[in-house]
Amino acid sequence: MKQLVVISGKGGTGKTSLVASFAALAGRAVLADCDVDAADLHLVVQSSLVSRNDFSGGKRALIDGDRCTDCGTCEDLCRFDAICSDSSTFSVDTIACEGCGVCVWFCPEDAIGFVDTIDGEWYFSETRLGPMVHARLKAAGENSGKLVSLLRTEARKAARIRNIDLVIIDGAPGIGCPVIASITGADLVLVVTEPTLSGLHDLERVIRLTSHFGIPTKIVVNRYDINEKIAVQAEKHAQKLGAGFAGRVRFDPAVTQAQIWGLPVVEHSSNGAAADITEVWNNLQEAFDEDEFYVSEA
Amino acid sequence: MRVAIASGKGGTGKTTVATNLAWVAARQEKSVVYLDCDVEEPNGQIFLKPIADWRKPVSVAVPKVDPVVCDLCGMCGEICQFSAIVCVGQKVLVFPELCHSCGGCNLVCPLLAITEVPRGIATLMAGHTGSLRYFQGLLNIGEAMSPQVIRAVKAEAPEAELVIVDAPPGTACPVVEAVRGCDHVLLVTEPTPFGLHDLELALETVQSLEIPCEVVINRAGLNGSATEEFCRRKGVEIVAEFPDSRRVAEAYSRGELASEKDPEMRDRYRSLLTHIEDST
């Protein structure tokens, strides 16, 4: 089984549009939308929901007002300013609470309970391109990294059961917790960048992240014709950092049109950006076929 | 006044709106503080070009176990909710990158075998350009705890007439950390199905924090009616629209501030600023 992860560093560079098109070009794959803060893949692959499951990211403290003697120990010990006291009653700010359990442990009156939180939901859906796992983190939800790991486990499980040998993962922007959770153990990372100074800055950081974890990386420059000079700079820079080149995709209003129609770009049209994406996909296929990504790295 | 610029979806133009607002306000000789709280990928400096004059590492406290004192009772592993410290066999193992620095293991250890030591996870930088003071946090590669860094950036910010917080994308803990304590939030969206879907999620997050918020539509032009309809339904005001333009996109790619080069954009940002000032 091969796991391809599409990430970007900078947001809005076109990850999801590429993932949907890759799924269409692959014909059969398991899809995992790991951008759990803002999952959009379901909007362009016409999915039907099969199951809905709660996700618990951790626990929260809960003060029992009847047992609390207002001693203030919890407030003294909490490092997250999550204990609110007005005059004499103590309560927990559930948004600030980190779920560390220190107040629960040290409350002399045993007045603090520790309850599982529901931080979101995850879903199993069917699409005509293959099964898809996706999620919705609750507003202000915690522990997106744990949710990403859960989705990836479910995606691999689905791939094994159905005998599908490709998992395509739509990752989150940034380089933090959910991104790390989406790339660890993957076979290939494709970084989608744009030819802007911001894109260039973020590209460097995200490639450093993938090489920190020893994962083979290729880049694609989306909307390259917005600034060809920076596009070339990005490609050269990526090469210097050890990332391969998977191709360029031109700026094309058809990408947004496809989104409005709820279709992968390559199913909406066949020239322009769609042709470029097909070429990028062929390059990735070749790379997989050559098995160049199975070299284990230190 | 503290204004956060946020969005669910990445790449909708948070930094564009934040930097232009800050620049326009600074030109009016207001004291302006810009906090780049997108600590995973801070880009505000590309546009504001501050002269750096201060740096400071951000460190978090992680446990260090004295093996001579430790009798392997395992209580540290029991209290830790994050599997950052575990007692296995004849050894206590610490996984510093999983540690949330709650101090629980240190408090619970009956033999006082645990001390807390600092571990660097990011660098803060400050700089200035005109009357604008710029702060950013830059998370070290491979670190996961961006909320701590965001907290550190916000803690350094001096008072000013206008504090602009450039938030990270998404709806999870880093966004909440950035937006908490702000007087006002502007949600930047683009009129596409992805933009609208993520606006819906971001709005829910901001409303759960009970902070007044309004919407800015970037790349306005095509397909705007669904976003307008959504905002009407939710009772959220659209306070500015910036047209979709290839010229603007190209200027952005070179790190140029639209309001510096383009008088029409400057006017749009000025009126957005006036609107924010009047409404708080």
Side-chain angles (χ1 to χ4, degrees):
Chain A
M1 184 198 309
K2 300 163 205 157
Q3 297 183 69
L4 168 68
V5 191
V6 182
I7 55 171
S8 69
K10 183 173 172 350
T13 58
K15 286 179 294 297
T16 304
S17 295
L18 284 180
V19 166
S21 287
F22 291 164
L25 292 165
R28 204 167 130 81
V30 177
L31 301 177
D33 192 344
C34 291
D35 186 0
V36 296
D37 276 32
D40 289 331
L41 187 56
H42 65 280
L43 298 174
V44 282
V45 293
Q46 295 138 339
S47 59
S48 58
L49 187 68
V50 176
S51 74
R52 177 192 289 267
N53 315 272
D54 281 339
F55 162 71
S56 172
K59 295 185 167 190
R60 291 289 170 280
L62 187 69
I63 299 177
D64 177 351
D66 293 339
R67 298 175 79 164
C68 174
T69 58
D70 308 327
C71 70
T73 305
C74 50
E75 195 178 21
D76 292 343
L77 295 181
C78 179
R79 291 203 178 159
F80 307 100
D81 290 327
I83 307 287
C84 326
S85 56
D86 54 75
S87 62
S88 66
T89 51
F90 286 79
S91 62
V92 177
D93 174 348
T94 50
I95 288 174
C97 178
E98 191 89 1
C100 69
V102 167
C103 59
V104 180
W105 188 291
F106 289 99
C107 173
E109 305 299 330
D110 257 337
I112 307 181
F114 209 23
V115 292
D116 282 333
T117 52
I118 301 301
D119 289 295
E121 288 183 328
W122 72 271
Y123 316 102
F124 192 100
S125 294
E126 294 291 349
T127 78
R128 66 204 152 74
L129 309 170
M132 173 170 74
V133 291
H134 48 131
R136 180 170 179 158
L137 198 66
K138 227 168 78 176
E142 294 255 353
N143 223 334
S144 49
K146 192 172 165 186
L147 181 52
V148 168
S149 303
L150 185 150
L151 288 180
R152 289 193 53 201
T153 307
E154 293 297 329
R156 285 196 300 270
K157 210 194 283 174
R160 263 195 309 274
I161 292 170
R162 307 234 184 148
N163 213 5
I164 298 174
D165 63 2
L166 178 65
V167 177
I168 307 177
I169 298 158
D170 188 2
I175 60 158
C177 153
V179 181
I180 293 173
S182 41
I183 63 172
T184 45
D187 298 290
L188 175 63
V189 169
L190 179 70
V191 177
V192 189
T193 188
E194 59 175 36
T196 64
L197 288 181
S198 308
L200 197 61
H201 171 258
D202 299 350
L203 174 70
E204 158 146 13
R205 285 172 57 78
V206 83
I207 295 176
R208 288 198 191 280
L209 181 77
T210 59
S211 54
H212 177 87
F213 288 99
I215 305 162
T217 304
K218 289 196 176 244
I219 72 150
V220 53
V221 184
N222 197 9
R223 301 190 276 263
Y224 73 90
D225 42 348
I226 289 285
N227 191 328
E228 292 200 39
K229 212 170 114 200
I230 299 182
V232 172
Q233 222 176 317
E235 288 157 18
K236 283 193 180 146
H237 198 57
Q239 194 181 19
K240 213 160 39 179
L241 294 166
F245 178 61
R248 289 174 160 194
V249 178
R250 76 195 81 170
F251 175 81
D252 184 349
V255 175
T256 303
Q257 280 306 327
Q259 207 185 97
I260 292 166
W261 283 89
L263 286 172
V265 183
V266 294
E267 289 184 349
H268 174 73
S269 57
S270 55
N271 42 26
D276 298 340
I277 295 172
T278 307
E279 199 181 316
V280 170
W281 176 245
N282 292 338
N283 289 341
L284 294 177
Q285 280 293 96
E286 260 170 50
F288 271 134
D289 291 344
E290 284 163 15
D291 253 14
E292 66 181 86
F293 298 110
Y294 293 94
V295 188
S296 73
E297 301 211 359
Chain B
M1 180 181 44
R2 219 172 237 234
V3 183
I5 319 293
S7 78
K9 182 171 167 7
T12 55
K14 279 179 298 302
T15 303
T16 301
V17 172
T19 50
N20 279 290
L21 268 183
W23 188 83
V24 163
R27 280 261 301 210
Q28 297 174 358
E29 314 222 324
K30 295 190 169 77
S31 66
V32 181
V33 169
Y34 186 97
L35 304 180
D36 199 330
C37 288
D38 187 358
V39 302
E40 294 177 33
E41 305 285 14
N43 288 142
Q45 59 169 333
I46 292 174
F47 301 91
L48 293 171
K49 305 175 178 69
I51 301 155
D53 52 29
W54 175 88
R55 268 171 221 281
K56 183 180 154 187
V58 180
S59 40
V60 292
V62 296
K64 188 175 169 216
V65 183
D66 183 343
V68 181
V69 183
C70 173
D71 71 350
L72 303 166
C73 74
M75 280 174 82
C76 51
E78 222 173 288
I79 195 172
C80 183
Q81 295 295 313
F82 312 107
S83 310
I85 186 163
V86 282
C87 184
V88 281
Q90 294 303 300
K91 225 177 157 184
V92 173
L93 297 176
V94 177
F95 301 97
E97 61 286 352
L98 299 178
C99 178
H100 288 225
S101 308
C102 68
C105 55
N106 174 40
L107 287 165
V108 83
C109 178
L111 298 173
L112 308 178
I114 297 177
T115 48
E116 290 183 88
V117 293
R119 189 175 85 91
I121 59 163
T123 311
L124 298 184
M125 182 273 267
H128 61 276
T129 165
S131 68
L132 185 144
R133 193 91 185 110
Y134 175 92
F135 288 84
Q136 73 165 37
L138 186 67
L139 187 71
N140 292 350
I141 308 285
E143 293 292 342
M145 303 287 171
S146 43
Q148 268 99 325
V149 184
I150 295 170
R151 221 172 292 157
V153 176
K154 290 174 78 180
E156 291 295 341
E159 286 299 316
E161 284 167 86
L162 178 67
V163 178
I164 289 188
V165 175
D166 187 2
T171 57
C173 18
V175 185
V176 172
E177 197 57 59
V179 167
R180 258 172 80 190
C182 290
D183 306 302
H184 205 92
V185 177
L186 290 182
L187 288 173
V188 185
T189 187
E190 56 180 37
T192 61
F194 290 177
L196 177 56
H197 178 254
D198 298 346
L199 171 66
E200 214 171 318
L201 301 173
L203 184 64
E204 227 179 280
T205 298
V206 174
Q207 286 179 335
S208 77
L209 297 168
E210 295 173 5
I211 304 173
C213 90
E214 288 163 331
V215 168
V216 171
I217 299 183
N218 197 15
R219 297 188 200 107
L222 64 147
N223 196 46
S225 55
T227 310
E228 283 163 24
E229 169 55 28
F230 170 78
C231 291
R232 210 170 16 245
R233 202 154 28 87
K234 293 283 175 180
V236 186
E237 201 185 331
I238 297 170
V239 289
E241 293 194 25
F242 297 102
D244 188 27
S245 136
R246 185 159 176 134
R247 197 163 44 90
V248 170
E250 285 172 1
Y252 171 89
S253 80
R254 296 187 295 263
E256 290 170 9
L257 275 170
S259 48
E260 191 175 357
K261 305 264 165 177
D262 181 339
E264 196 217 318
M265 291 298 270
R266 193 179 314 150
D267 287 343
R268 282 176 191 260
Y269 278 105
R270 268 191 199 140
S271 46
L272 175 58
L273 180 67
T274 311
H275 171 85
I276 297 167
E277 287 169 338
D278 291 347
S279 64
T280 45

